[in-house]
Each structure stands twice: as structure tokens, then as C-alpha cells.
Amino acid sequence: MSAIAQLPPKKLRWQRIKSSSLARQREVFLATFTFLFFIWWDKFWQIDTSRTRNKRAEWLVRNMLELGPTFIKIGQSLSTRVDILPPEYISNLSQLQDKVPAFSAKEARDIIELELGKSLYTIYRDFDEVPLAAASLGQVHRATLHTGEDVVVKVQRPGLKRLFDLDLLAVGKLLKFFDRYFAWTRKYNLQGIYNEFFTILYQEIDYAIEGSNADRFRKNFEGYPRIVIPKVYWEYSTSMVLTLEYVPGIKVDDRQALEACGLNPKEINQLGICCYLKQLLQDGFFHADPHPGNLAVSPSGSLIFYDYGMMAEVKTMAKDQMVKTFFAVLRKDTNEVVDTLMSMGFIEPIADMSPVKRMLKFVLDRFTERPVNIYEFEQIKGEVVAIFEKQPFRLPPQMTYLLKSLTTLDGIARILDPEYNFSTAAQPFVKSIVLTKGRGNTLGALAQQAKDFLVYQLNKPSRMEILLERLEERIERGELMIQVKSTESDRTLKRINIAVKALIYACLTGFLLLAGAVLLVGTNGLYSGWAIAAFVGAAFSGLSLLRALVQLSIREKIDNLAEQ
């Protein structure tokens, strides 16, 4: 039984209780640290099995639903991260995409009548009180206008603005706590991601912005009959109610239903990839929430987009770098890919970039022609361990939703075509750019890059020529050097360093416990205050000892992996 199916039919906690700021912070902190404790407990006692992970994932989904829309949105984002989460978490979190419990039809009707200033049946001839779908921020009802057009009415959940204000404060306090007491979180720039997340979240609850986004998105795809964006009926729309053209379709990840309708999933896959390349590299305005609940396919094979609340823009400078990166990937030019990723802030420059370059070269050589197989990274285990230790990769806040979109699309592409080839799928987009007349700076730059790529393909040098050219470039830049180091010695020294810390903490814990006992018993309670202070100090020292032991255990596992 799914985590959502196990929920009681009554309203969720966030729907029933009018939380104060302090109460909301307590809820968020309690849920977060309970989950972190579960993860630590499973790792410490080595019970991190598939069954345990599934149990933890179900707990996480239930608590995200109980905490409300902000955390449902976070869960939806995490449900696409197959690169960082185990499959048990992906499976459970994916329930948050389109199975969020609905609110009552009466509440929906009251909001519509209040927003539009008329009775429901004055506005719509027919209105289906059972929602077609319920999402984290609202739900959708089917209706018919008095003019006969079939429409869908998107109604916002009541009380969202106040809840977001509370969550903005609660999550901000949580991140400050992490930043102060968990130094390892600082390298992820969580504060920047938090700012970006809530900026877009507040935009999502203004349906007037969503309607404008839909109009702009539709205009970008004028002349593309296979991309469908429903029409907005502005006379029946406000900041909390949005009336759209009814355009039904098959869920984009339902491969069996697509094949039953005579549609080719590989062709749909190619259409989706080319559509997103246009959004990212040509328009600079993209749909940032392309999960299967927001993408459908019409019986004729057109791609239908729903929900335009989460849209994002790519700044001109970043778009230029993305264009360069895209064509560098197609050319398998590792140096260019590294340079552009560094300029966009995805890679932190470090003293020795060779492990990063070797890993990217491995990825470009192996996986531009077929999907990534994580098990093949065993061949470059040394580089992966070196990168893990130095951690030069980072996620710029402004790129959070770009990466979210790309990882979601990659997951859909794997479902539609498990052996999909990115280079082949992108060819129609490249050809369309080559044939353009280059109107405007962006199109001109794209066309030039595409033409350069085709010239490169025709005059591609041999592998030996490329190696010699790169060797010459590295000698000229003074990058070529002989580096001698013993990785085994380095790893041993790191383990010794952690073990010494653990020994110091163990001695300090024992000393404070002994001192506290002496002060409490030997002085007949005369210095009980000092004894309590000693016991508190022993507790903190004991936690540090526990942390050092966990670090030592993790370090040993990493070293064993590298030595295999």
C-alpha cells in the first residue's frame, strides 16, 4: 500500500491547524531531525536495506504531505533526482506528482464565486465538482462555458499565502542552523537555492502570472503545430482562479497507452528533447516543472504542456554558455565543456583539474551515444574517489530549476526509450538551426555554432591528432607536470587523523564523566552545579566522539572501495 493511500480521509494537519510561527518552526525542525536521525541510525547499525529505505521513504512522503504544499514541492523536485536518491525514495516521492489529496468542492466553489464575483452557474454552464487532478498548490475541475467550449478551471488551495510566509521563516531558520553547526552544508549554497525556490513558489500562487507565462510560451511555439499550449480565458481568470482550454491527452510516461494509440514513443521522445533544446538555447524561457503530470500526448502525437506556474528564464550570458556547452558535448570537446561549466559556476576551479577532465571525457566518450550506465563508472573509480574528496562540483542557485528540468526529462526519456541516443535525438534541432537565416543575435550565434559543428563533423581529425594537439596546448599553458604522490599514504594519514581525534574525544568524555561523578558523590552534592556542567560537557564530547567514529567508518569504506 502506498504512503498516500495510508493517509486518513480527514484533512491533513496543515489544512486543519492555524499554526503560529513558532509552532510551524517546531514542526519543520522536528520532522527534519527525526528523518536525519533515522538515516544516521540505519547507517550506524548497518541496516540500510531496501526494505528499511522503503519504510523511511513512506514516512518521508507522509510527513511531507502533513507539512503541506512547500514540502510537497520539495518532494516533487527530489522525486526526479535518480542520480542522488535510491530507487525506493524515487518510487515513493513520485506519488506526490499527481496524487495529492484534494480539498472540498464547496471550498473550490466558494473561491471561484468570491474571485469572479458571480454565482458558479452564471459563469459556467456545467461544472464537475469531482476534480480531474489535485496538486500541491491547487486542483483542476472540468467545466463548460455558456458558449459551449470545454474548459478546465484551476482553483488555488485556500490559505496558501499565509502558509508560505510561515514556511519561508521556518526553512530559513533551519538553513541558518545547518550553516552554523554543520560546516559541510556550506559548499552547497543552500541559502541561494532557498531564495530561488521561494521566489518561484510565490510566483506560482499568482495565477495571473501563470496565465501570462502560458501566453508567452504559446507565442514562442507559434508555427510548431506539434507543441500544444492551452488557451487562457482571461475573462474567467484571476490571481486565484485560472480558466483554460480543455486539451486532454495521454500521460507522457504511459508507454503502453501511447503504443496502443499507434504512437511511436521514440518519436515522442525526440520531439520532447528538441522542444526543450529550443526553450533553453533559443528562447531562454523554459517550463521548469516537466513531470509526467504536466506533460501529455494528444492522439495525433502532439506534445501538450500543462501548468505554467513554474517557468524560468535563462539570462543571456548563461544562455550563450549553454549553447557553447551543448555543441561542445556534441563534439566531445572535454576542455570546452569544463571551461563553460566553470564559467557558469557548475565547477569550482581547483589546483588539479585532471580527475574532473578524465571523468567528463569518459562520460562524453561513452554516453553521448547511449544512456548513462552507472556501473561503468567502476572503470574510473580512482577519478570518482578523487572528485568525491575534493568536491569541485556545485549547483549555482540560478541553475537549480534548469538541472531539475533536465533530470526530470532524462527520467521520462529513459521510460519512453531505454536506449535513447541524445546526439541522434538532438539532430532535428541542430538541422533546424543550420537552416535558419540567423535573425537576431541568439539565432545567429546558434546558427554559427551549428554550422561549426557540421564543419567539425566533416573535417573531424583523427584521435591521434586530437591527442597531440591537446598535449601541445597543455605544454604551452604550462599545465603539464609530473605529479608524484602516494594515494594509499594520503588515505592512511587521513584515517590516522580521524582516529586521533576520536581518541582525544574518548579521553575527554571519560575525564568529564569521572569528574562529574566525583563532584556529585564525593562532595555530598555541594558542587552539584559543576557536576551537571561536567556531565553536559561529557555529553557534547560523546557526540563528537560518535561523529568521529562514523567519519572513520565512512572513510574506511571509501578507501576499501578505492583499493578494490
Side-chain angles (χ1 to χ4, degrees):
M1 185 182 290
S2 72
I4 291 179
Q6 294 174 33
L7 287 170
K10 61 184 179 181
K11 285 187 175 182
L12 300 173
R13 186 169 67 242
W14 65 271
Q15 294 173 304
R16 301 193 310 269
I17 301 171
K18 301 297 182 183
S19 297
S20 67
S21 177
L22 189 61
R24 187 61 173 171
Q25 288 173 43
R26 187 172 62 247
E27 287 180 349
V28 171
F29 271 72
L30 180 62
T32 302
F33 285 102
T34 301
F35 181 69
L36 291 176
F37 174 77
F38 286 156
I39 299 301
W40 171 83
W41 182 266
D42 297 342
K43 295 287 184 185
F44 187 78
W45 294 107
Q46 297 184 347
I47 55 172
D48 188 23
T49 62
S50 177
R51 182 178 177 182
T52 304
R53 286 193 297 271
N54 194 62
K55 182 180 175 183
R56 301 306 185 207
E58 287 181 354
W59 182 94
L60 182 63
V61 168
R62 284 196 302 272
N63 278 267
M64 281 182 160
L65 283 166
E66 288 286 355
L67 284 171
T70 303
F71 298 89
I72 292 170
K73 277 288 178 187
I74 292 171
Q76 288 174 350
S77 298
L78 290 174
S79 72
T80 66
R81 298 304 302 271
V82 293
D83 53 330
I84 60 174
L85 288 179
E88 295 85 1
Y89 283 89
I90 299 297
S91 174
N92 280 279
L93 288 169
S94 63
Q95 298 173 43
L96 296 170
Q97 299 291 12
D98 55 4
K99 296 181 183 177
V100 180
F103 54 93
S104 72
K106 181 183 182 305
E107 288 177 298
R109 186 168 57 248
D110 290 345
I111 290 170
I112 293 170
E113 292 181 345
L114 181 65
E115 285 292 304
L116 297 179
K118 300 176 183 177
S119 66
L120 186 72
Y121 289 102
T122 303
I123 307 163
Y124 307 108
R125 189 179 70 195
D126 296 306
F127 185 85
D128 190 349
E129 294 199 345
V130 178
L132 285 173
S136 53
L137 306 185
Q139 63 190 36
V140 176
H141 294 260
R142 188 173 173 183
T144 307
L145 297 177
H146 286 284
T147 51
E149 293 123 305
D150 288 329
V151 295
V152 290
V153 186
K154 188 173 180 180
V155 188
Q156 189 178 118
R157 288 184 181 272
L160 276 188
K161 173 68 167 58
R162 181 178 180 277
L163 189 66
F164 283 177
D165 291 341
L166 293 174
D167 288 342
L168 179 72
L169 185 61
V171 176
K173 295 264 188 183
L174 182 66
L175 293 187
K176 285 179 182 176
F177 183 88
F178 279 145
D179 188 64
R180 183 173 180 181
Y181 295 105
F182 298 94
W184 57 270
T185 63
R186 293 171 194 161
K187 61 179 173 285
Y188 296 110
N189 193 6
L190 295 178
Q191 187 65 40
I193 295 172
Y194 157 83
N195 292 335
E196 183 80 2
F197 176 79
F198 275 97
T199 297
I200 292 185
L201 202 60
Y202 275 101
Q203 290 176 2
E204 274 201 90
I205 60 172
D206 187 342
Y207 286 173
I209 293 176
E210 180 173 345
S212 298
N213 287 340
D215 286 346
R216 179 179 174 184
F217 197 56
R218 191 184 313 103
K219 187 175 181 181
N220 287 345
F221 282 95
E222 284 179 354
Y224 291 81
R226 295 197 63 191
I227 305 298
V228 178
I229 296 94
K231 172 187 171 184
V232 180
Y233 290 88
W234 283 107
E235 60 269 38
Y236 309 112
S237 301
T238 69
S239 61
M240 290 186 67
V241 176
L242 186 65
T243 302
L244 297 157
E245 176 187 5
Y246 177 58
V247 186
I250 306 161
K251 279 185 71 171
V252 73
D253 63 342
D254 192 345
R255 185 173 175 175
Q256 289 185 338
L258 292 173
E259 289 175 339
C261 287
L263 299 174
N264 184 349
K266 292 186 178 182
E267 188 182 334
I268 301 299
N269 197 24
Q270 186 177 68
L271 177 64
I273 289 171
C274 291
C275 172
Y276 258 86
L277 287 173
K278 180 185 183 303
Q279 293 175 52
L280 294 170
L281 304 181
Q282 189 170 327
D283 302 331
F285 181 69
F286 66 97
H287 194 293
D289 197 20
H291 65 74
N294 285 340
L295 283 173
V297 181
S298 72
S300 62
S302 297
L303 194 61
I304 308 165
F305 283 84
Y306 305 127
D307 194 344
Y308 309 94
M310 193 176 285
M311 307 291 287
E313 289 196 66
V314 181
K315 294 178 181 176
T316 304
M317 183 174 164
K319 188 163 64 173
D320 292 343
Q321 296 299 331
M322 283 169 54
V323 169
K324 290 179 182 177
T325 306
F326 170 68
F327 285 102
V329 167
L330 293 183
R331 293 195 306 269
K332 301 183 182 181
D333 187 341
T334 307
N335 290 328
E336 179 75 11
V337 171
V338 170
D339 289 344
T340 53
L341 290 179
M342 278 196 294
S343 65
M344 284 194 290
F346 277 104
I347 298 179
E348 185 79 41
I350 55 176
D352 182 14
M353 294 294 293
S354 39
V356 177
K357 289 186 177 181
R358 280 197 294 271
M359 193 197 76
L360 284 174
K361 178 172 174 49
F362 178 83
V363 170
L364 294 177
D365 287 344
R366 296 295 184 90
F367 303 125
T368 50
E369 306 299 329
R370 56 192 173 91
V372 174
N373 181 353
I374 196 70
Y375 299 106
E376 293 193 33
F377 280 89
E378 287 285 319
Q379 298 177 32
I380 53 166
K381 192 184 298 178
E383 281 74 17
V384 172
V385 171
I387 289 169
F388 176 78
E389 289 178 344
K390 294 177 182 178
Q391 295 180 321
F393 288 98
R394 61 183 180 178
L395 179 59
Q398 65 273 19
M399 294 293 181
T400 306
Y401 287 94
L402 170 62
L403 187 63
K404 173 183 179 293
S405 300
L406 294 178
T407 52
T408 307
L409 289 168
D410 180 69
I412 294 172
R414 289 169 186 270
I415 293 170
L416 292 175
D417 181 10
E419 296 299 321
Y420 87 95
N421 179 330
F422 174 75
S423 296
T424 302
Q427 289 304 316
F429 175 77
V430 175
K431 289 176 183 175
S432 70
I433 291 301
V434 171
L435 296 174
T436 188
K437 298 186 183 294
R439 295 182 300 276
N441 293 336
T442 302
L443 275 175
L446 264 172
Q448 188 58 51
Q449 286 278 351
K451 288 170 184 174
D452 290 345
F453 170 68
L454 291 182
V455 170
Y456 164 82
Q457 288 289 88
L458 292 171
N459 304 304
K460 186 160 61 175
S462 68
R463 189 177 183 85
M464 182 58 69
E465 287 174 326
I466 293 172
L467 286 172
L468 289 173
E469 184 180 339
R470 288 178 181 169
L471 181 62
E472 184 181 357
E473 288 175 357
R474 293 187 67 188
I475 291 173
E476 287 176 355
R477 291 198 299 261
E479 290 182 357
L480 196 64
M481 64 180 72
I482 298 174
Q483 186 178 27
V484 180
K485 68 174 182 178
S486 172
T487 54
E488 290 184 9
S489 299
D490 289 345
R491 289 195 289 266
T492 303
L493 284 172
K494 287 176 182 177
R495 285 207 306 269
I496 291 172
N497 183 37
I498 298 172
V500 168
K501 284 183 181 179
L503 183 60
I504 292 170
Y505 288 134
C507 293
L508 184 60
T509 304
F511 170 75
L512 289 171
L513 283 172
L514 183 61
V518 169
L519 288 169
L520 191 64
V521 178
T523 62
N524 295 320
L526 187 61
Y527 296 102
S528 59
W530 288 102
I532 292 171
F535 286 136
V536 170
F540 280 108
S541 181
L543 286 173
S544 298
L545 170 63
L546 202 56
R547 182 182 176 186
L549 290 173
V550 171
Q551 287 177 336
L552 187 61
S553 173
I554 293 171
R555 170 59 58 184
E556 286 177 353
K557 287 180 181 178
I558 291 172
D559 292 347
N560 290 336
L561 179 67
E563 289 168 5
Q564 286 175 2

